Amino acid sequence: MAPSHAVRCCQRGLSWIPVIFINLVVCWSYYAYVVELCIYTIANTEEQVIYLIVFHVFFFMFIWSYWKTIISKPASPSKEFCLPKADKELYEKEEFPEAQQEILKRVARNLPVYTRTGSGAIRYCDRCQLIKPDRCHHCSTCDRCVLKMDHHCPWVNNCVGFSNYKFFVLFLAYSMLYCVYIAATVLQYFIKFWTNHLPDTHAKFHVLFLFFVAGMFFISILSLFSYHLWLVGKNRTTIEAFRAPVFRNGPDKNGFTLGFLKNVTQVFGDQKKCWCLPLYSRYKTHPSSIIYKNEIWTTDLPTCTHFAKRLRILTSKYAGMICHSKQRKNVVMPLFMRSIQNKLQKKMKSSNFNFCFKNIFFVLFLDCNVTM
């Protein structure tokens, strides 16, 4: 037991090496730009002041979003997704996978879970011993299930997912702006040093190397940033881009898309004035809610395809809504919709059309009166 604990501690220590490397490079770039370029190389005072003010704006936003990505704890499923004690004991005693699946299906019936494994089974994590919510995956590095997991990034030593995806995208954006600003302002002095139009001082090495490093990082970050902007527009994660999520009627790569603007809102929140800031910007929630586009209440409406499709879209913003309280404890808030639907089903014995129409009316009422 002791060796495994020691190995685990060594792995945790080594995992900080990429973060330390990035911070060392950033610290050197700060020194090279502020001291060697602006103080020792640039003679014009007005140019110095303008360069330094704009530089520190980009530098501050870059560092803020970077460390916000690092320190944001990955969001895990709440206790509602764990098996009840009795069901857990039955699950562990069962030797046949079919019987275990029946137990999971019975528990999942009361949960907002709509995705399945490739074989159509309920997604269950044996390590965390819980039913995985939609878009949730187990990270072997963090050793936990992470909500809306995108990937584990070694450069931030953290899982990028539900709690920090906005910060990660902003980190890419500001790091790219930081690099392109440095490269653009250093270029003229890089040329002057290269062509020997400036005296050969100790600042020459820093200025030349600063331009190459900024250009190299800009090119590498640009491709990654462009890819994640495409993912945001499609409302996909990196995992879903490589493997389409499987729903009850099969895989659907566009299963979570709600339209471009709503997809962007999923990541950056409702408050547009906070989109450029590494802050939680969902109105009255912390952090912003995950919105799922899933099939809900449509299986009972085989003869009402048009209204069922419309109902699925309208209820998507309430189906599987997961958020955090300010105390950063996971809270699940989708089950009230299911309970209301069950009550409506019991009361209404009329046609599928009537049932669907009243559900649509009810969801429209919620859409107008409930502020997320």
Side-chain angles (χ1 to χ4, degrees):
M1 194 70 182
S4 63
H5 179 71
V7 170
R8 192 73 180 171
C9 290
C10 290
Q11 288 177 341
R12 289 177 180 176
L14 292 173
S15 64
W16 284 100
I17 291 178
V19 177
I20 295 172
F21 171 75
I22 291 295
N23 281 274
L24 289 175
V25 172
V26 172
C27 289
W28 167 80
S29 69
Y30 183 89
Y31 166 79
Y33 191 91
V34 173
V35 179
E36 298 294 344
L37 177 67
C38 292
I39 296 177
Y40 290 146
T41 304
I42 300 176
N44 189 300
T45 305
E46 292 182 359
E47 188 179 359
Q48 283 181 338
V49 172
I50 294 172
Y51 277 19
L52 286 173
I53 290 175
V54 179
F55 171 81
H56 280 91
V57 170
F58 286 134
F59 178 79
F60 175 75
M61 296 304 298
F62 164 53
I63 294 297
W64 185 13
S65 57
Y66 179 56
W67 278 98
K68 193 75 174 179
T69 308
I70 293 174
I71 65 176
S72 296
K73 188 177 180 181
S76 299
S78 59
K79 62 182 181 180
E80 282 82 1
F81 289 90
C82 297
L83 291 180
K85 187 176 180 180
D87 292 316
K88 184 179 177 182
E89 292 176 354
L90 286 174
Y91 181 86
E92 291 174 349
K93 290 179 182 179
E94 288 291 347
E95 298 180 357
F96 300 101
E98 294 81 6
Q100 290 179 332
Q101 272 298 305
E102 289 301 319
I103 296 172
L104 295 179
K105 286 180 181 179
R106 186 175 68 252
V107 177
R109 198 174 295 126
N110 298 319
L111 295 172
V113 177
Y114 303 96
T115 54
R116 300 290 186 264
T117 64
S119 59
I122 299 293
R123 299 168 64 245
Y124 181 75
C125 180
D126 292 307
R127 180 75 176 175
C128 300
Q129 295 184 335
L130 54 81
I131 294 174
K132 295 180 183 178
D134 296 343
R135 318 187 84 173
C136 176
H137 299 274
H138 185 87
C139 177
S140 57
T141 306
C142 297
D143 194 28
R144 66 170 69 191
C145 283
V146 179
L147 292 177
K148 200 186 177 185
M149 179 178 173
D150 188 89
H151 69 287
H152 185 91
C153 181
W155 300 109
V156 299
N157 191 29
N158 200 0
C159 255
V160 177
F162 171 74
S163 62
N164 61 355
Y165 188 60
K166 174 189 175 181
F167 308 147
F168 177 75
V169 175
L170 289 178
F171 153 61
L172 294 178
Y174 286 120
S175 59
M176 188 179 66
L177 291 174
Y178 180 73
C179 290
V180 75
Y181 176 77
I182 289 177
T185 52
V186 168
L187 179 60
Q188 59 172 317
Y189 298 97
F190 170 83
I191 295 173
K192 289 179 181 179
F193 274 121
W194 193 265
T195 56
N196 296 318
H197 282 80
L198 285 175
D200 194 1
T201 62
H202 57 83
K204 180 177 181 178
F205 165 77
H206 291 283
V207 172
L208 294 177
F209 199 60
L210 186 62
F211 178 79
F212 280 119
V213 172
M216 179 184 65
F217 274 93
F218 169 73
I219 294 172
S220 60
I221 294 172
L222 176 62
S223 58
L224 185 60
F225 178 65
S226 302
Y227 176 68
H228 278 280
L229 282 184
W230 178 79
L231 290 178
V232 170
K234 296 288 186 179
N235 202 355
R236 297 178 194 171
T237 63
T238 300
I239 296 174
E240 293 163 359
F242 284 96
R243 184 176 64 251
V246 180
F247 295 90
R248 292 171 182 173
N249 10 336
D252 182 6
K253 62 180 181 180
N254 296 316
F256 295 108
T257 186
L258 297 168
F260 179 77
L261 185 58
K262 289 185 178 179
N263 291 343
V264 173
T265 306
Q266 289 302 289
V267 176
F268 293 96
D270 292 331
Q271 300 179 38
K272 294 183 180 180
K273 62 183 180 181
C274 296
W275 280 9
C276 295
L277 300 176
L279 298 170
Y280 295 117
S281 51
R282 170 71 68 177
Y283 182 63
K284 291 185 179 179
T285 58
H286 182 77
S288 58
S289 304
I290 295 178
I291 298 176
Y292 295 116
K293 177 187 174 184
N294 290 315
E295 290 196 65
I296 181 170
W297 305 352
T298 58
T299 53
D300 298 326
L301 309 170
T303 61
C304 204
T305 308
H306 174 73
F307 287 101
K309 183 177 180 181
R310 181 61 180 159
L311 179 62
R312 180 174 68 247
I313 296 172
L314 288 172
T315 57
S316 62
K317 65 191 298 185
Y318 306 104
M321 187 171 68
I322 300 173
C323 69
H324 288 268
S325 66
K326 291 186 178 180
Q327 290 76 26
R328 303 184 70 83
K329 294 181 180 179
N330 301 336
V331 181
V332 179
M333 309 178 351
L335 301 183
F336 77 100
M337 294 293 291
R338 184 180 290 277
S339 64
I340 292 172
Q341 183 235 356
N342 291 335
K343 291 178 181 178
L344 287 172
Q345 278 182 315
K346 290 178 181 178
K347 290 182 178 179
M348 291 187 294
K349 301 298 183 179
S350 56
S351 65
N352 287 330
F353 178 87
N354 188 32
F355 171 70
C356 189
F357 177 79
K358 291 187 177 181
N359 272 279
I360 291 173
F361 176 79
F362 177 73
V363 173
L364 282 171
F365 173 79
L366 283 177
D367 201 33
C368 295
N369 292 279
V370 178
T371 304
M372 289 171 48

